[in-house]
């Protein structure tokens, strides 16, 4: 009995020591790996390009919930099209992945026999994806009123948003999209196309005029055409479509329910999210939704905070991540990082403006850790130089054990 009473505590002590040794060994191995990662990333910053340009880098381990690497992570920089990440995450947070863009058709007046004596209103919801085929479907809904003629006006209601045609801080000599709430293929041809499709549906337009105005409250709904936010999100992110991004920016503004949607409202909604992330005290500047503006200023810390927030929200992440370009596979990353461990592994938004190159998104390390990262190169006169640096960073991250 004495021997048993002595050996049991001894075995427990030995097990405890072994466990402690394993924990210490694991912590030491993790620290060595992190040191190795920092050394490799630090070595990339010795490139001569940084004699004349700046960079901000942040890498965050989503599994360990800790920053792996930071460099100039609080510096304010222009994000270029990585601003679309800010817009996408804010919109998904505010509107949800089930949100639909809507285009409505209304009518006023009365139907006598098979003639509508009154007006048709086409009410835009700033859906950037509308096609001629979509308009044909709406025109067919008018035919289902069982009319064969219209005696009145066709009216385009574009009052969903403010009248500004361009974003704040856009360059006048760029090929900028006209920000109208009712268009087809970025062109202000919706009403003409709708009239043509109504006529093609067999409805006679008796001396009808095309004009603009606001739908009255007593108007009767004919049809609503919907496109889910996911459809907009995919083209906006994978192809870096500025028009799609601005449409989403204004959907966020409309959610503030202050009358017509204003860029000012979208900025307020966006900055409220920054505050919820604990970063509301920094002087970030939100000018537009696409990143075309010269007035946008964020930090890689903010981009990583937004990516972390999105990661922890299943509704946001399930819509956001599949819509991001994939390295070596599709979108604006189709031709980058091929034949490396980053190919098919890095899901990230690119950004390019004169002097600016950026990349922010997610990847998985060789050790199975999920990371988010953000890189902004500023003052690079050859964007290829910034992209090459970002690709090298991503390769290092994907090889990290």
């Amino acid at each position: 009995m004495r021997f048993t009473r002595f050996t049991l505590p001894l075995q427990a002590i030995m097990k405890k020591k072994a466990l402690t040794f394993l924990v210490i060994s694991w912590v030491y191995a993790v620290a060595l790996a992190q040191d190795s990662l920092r050394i490799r990333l630090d070595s990339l910053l010795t490139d001569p390009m940084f004699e004349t340009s700046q960079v901000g880098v942040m890498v965050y381990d989503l599994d360990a919930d800790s920053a792996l690497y930071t460099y100039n992570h609080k510096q304010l920089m222009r994000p270029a099209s990585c601003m679309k990440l800010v817009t996408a995450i804010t919109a998904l947070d505010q509107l949800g992945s089930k949100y639909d863009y809507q285009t409505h058709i209304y009518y006023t007046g009365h139907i006598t026999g098979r003639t509508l004596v009154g007006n048709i209103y086409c009410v835009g919801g700033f859906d950037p994806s509308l096609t001629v085929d979509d308009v044909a479907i709406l025109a067919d809904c008018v035919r289902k009123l069982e009319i064969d003629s219209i005696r009145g006006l066709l009216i385009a209601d574009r009052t969903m948003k403010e009248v500004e045609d361009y974003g704040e801080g856009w360059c006048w000599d760029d090929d900028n999209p006209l920000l109208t709430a009712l268009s087809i293929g970025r062109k202000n041809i919706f009403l003409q196309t709708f009239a043509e499709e109504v006529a093609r549906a067999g409805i006679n337009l008796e001396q009808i005029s095309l004009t603009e105005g606001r739908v009255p409250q007593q108007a009767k709904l004919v049809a609503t055409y919907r496109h889910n936010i996911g459809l907009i999100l995919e083209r906006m992110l994978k192809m870096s479509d500025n028009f799609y991004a601005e449409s989403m920016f204004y959907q966020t503004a409309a959610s503030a329910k202050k009358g017509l949607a204003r860029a000012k409202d979208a900025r307020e909604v966006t900055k409220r999210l920054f505050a919820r992330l604990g970063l509301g005290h920094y002087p970030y500047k939100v000018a537009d939704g696409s990143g075309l503006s010269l007035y946008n200023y964020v930090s890689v810390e903010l981009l990583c905070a937004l990516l972390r927030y999105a990661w922890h929200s299943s509704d946001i992440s399930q819509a956001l991540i599949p819509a991001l370009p994939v390295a070596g596979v599709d979108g604006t990353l189709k031709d980058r990082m091929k034949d490396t461990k980053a190919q098919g592994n890095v899901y990230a938004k690119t950004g390019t403006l004169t002097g600016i190159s950026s990349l922010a998104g997610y990847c998985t390390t060789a050790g199975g850790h999920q990371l988010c990262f953000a890189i902004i190169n500023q003052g690079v006169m050859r964007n290829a130089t910034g992209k090459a640096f970002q690709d090298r960073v991503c390769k290092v991250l994907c090889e990290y054990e």
Side-chain angles (χ1 to χ4, degrees):
M1 290 295 294
R2 290 179 182 175
F3 180 75
T4 303
R5 289 174 64 187
F6 174 76
T7 56
L8 283 175
L10 180 60
Q11 290 174 348
I13 291 170
M14 294 302 292
K15 286 181 180 179
K16 185 175 181 180
K17 286 184 176 180
L19 181 60
T20 301
F21 176 76
L22 289 172
V23 170
I24 293 173
S25 299
W26 177 79
V27 171
Y28 183 66
V30 169
L32 281 178
Q34 290 179 352
D35 284 343
S36 174
L37 177 68
R38 282 191 287 269
I39 290 169
R40 292 189 66 185
L41 292 178
D42 282 343
S43 70
L44 298 181
L45 295 173
T46 63
D47 192 289
M49 67 182 285
F50 296 115
E51 293 177 8
T52 58
S53 67
Q54 306 80 47
V55 69
V57 183
M58 185 165 187
V59 181
Y60 199 91
D61 189 326
L62 293 161
D63 295 321
D65 193 22
S66 62
L68 285 179
Y69 188 84
T70 59
Y71 183 83
N72 286 341
H73 62 297
K74 293 184 182 293
Q75 294 295 306
L76 296 181
M77 297 181 172
R78 287 161 51 197
S81 280
C82 276
M83 195 67 192
K84 293 181 176 71
L85 268 180
V86 179
T87 301
I89 293 170
T90 303
L92 287 169
D93 179 62
Q94 185 74 9
L95 306 170
S97 63
K98 305 298 184 186
Y99 179 80
D100 288 331
Y101 284 63
Q102 299 182 21
T103 305
H104 304 288
I105 304 296
Y106 290 88
Y107 78 92
T108 57
H110 59 275
I111 297 174
T112 300
R114 294 180 62 83
T115 298
L116 170 62
V117 181
N119 303 327
I120 295 286
Y121 290 83
C122 304
V123 184
F126 206 164
D127 183 344
S129 64
L130 286 173
T131 66
V132 173
D133 289 341
D134 298 332
V135 176
I137 292 172
L138 287 168
D140 190 60
C141 291
V142 175
R143 181 187 60 79
K144 290 177 182 177
L145 290 174
E146 298 184 353
I147 60 174
D148 57 19
S149 62
I150 300 173
R151 192 179 304 152
L153 304 173
L154 288 187
I155 301 172
D157 184 339
R158 307 175 196 277
T159 60
M160 171 264 188
K161 64 173 290 294
E162 61 190 348
V163 297
E164 277 74 5
D165 292 330
Y166 301 107
E168 180 185 1
W170 287 11
C171 291
W172 64 268
D173 56 347
D174 282 347
D175 184 18
N176 297 318
L178 190 67
L179 302 181
T180 175
L182 190 61
S183 65
I184 300 176
R186 295 170 171 76
K187 297 179 180 179
N188 188 13
I189 59 172
F190 184 96
L191 207 54
Q192 301 94 304
T193 305
F194 182 73
E196 291 167 4
E197 293 301 325
V198 167
R200 190 172 286 114
I203 299 175
N204 180 37
L205 304 177
E206 299 181 10
Q207 299 179 340
I208 204 155
S209 297
L210 310 183
T211 187
E212 298 202 5
R214 183 187 289 270
V215 63
Q217 289 186 349
Q218 72 271 20
K220 303 176 184 67
L221 180 66
V222 176
T224 298
Y225 198 83
R226 293 178 169 86
H227 279 137
N228 182 260
I229 193 172
L231 174 71
I232 312 302
L233 196 67
E234 183 172 2
R235 181 175 177 86
M236 165 186 162
L237 295 179
K238 285 196 181 291
M239 306 310 298
S240 201
D241 193 301
N242 295 319
F243 188 60
Y244 278 53
E246 294 302 329
S247 78
M248 192 167 292
F249 192 58
Y250 274 99
Q251 301 300 316
T252 305
S255 72
K257 301 186 185 305
K258 295 183 178 179
L260 78 168
R262 303 172 300 173
K264 176 183 177 182
D265 301 323
R267 295 179 193 120
E268 289 176 357
V269 172
T270 305
K271 289 186 175 181
R272 283 201 296 270
L273 178 56
F274 296 172
R276 283 163 48 201
L277 297 176
L279 298 173
H281 57 290
Y282 289 110
Y284 302 122
K285 173 68 174 177
V286 177
D288 67 3
S290 62
L292 276 176
S293 177
L294 302 179
Y295 301 159
N296 291 310
Y297 278 93
V298 301
S299 66
V300 292
E301 179 183 42
L302 174 65
L303 292 177
C304 274
L306 286 163
L307 288 166
R308 287 162 54 200
Y309 180 75
W311 178 266
H312 290 294
S313 168
S314 60
D315 187 61
I316 297 176
S317 62
Q318 288 173 14
L320 177 74
I321 296 175
L324 290 169
V326 184
V329 177
D330 64 18
T332 54
L333 284 178
K334 183 177 181 179
D335 298 322
R336 292 174 60 176
M337 300 178 238
K338 285 189 172 182
D339 302 319
T340 70
K341 288 187 177 181
Q343 180 171 350
N345 184 358
V346 170
Y347 289 69
K349 182 70 198 76
T350 59
T352 304
L353 280 175
T354 301
I356 304 294
S357 182
S358 56
L359 186 70
Y362 303 98
C363 68
T364 304
T365 71
H369 280 240
Q370 306 294 323
L371 307 181
C372 70
F373 64 89
I375 309 164
I376 299 178
N377 289 94
Q378 188 165 268
V380 285
M381 292 300 102
R382 293 183 65 252
N383 284 316
T385 304
K387 291 177 181 179
F389 170 77
Q390 295 152 19
D391 291 355
R392 289 194 292 270
V393 171
C394 287
K395 291 171 190 175
V396 168
L397 298 182
C398 293
E399 292 168 1
Y400 172 56
E401 293 287 347

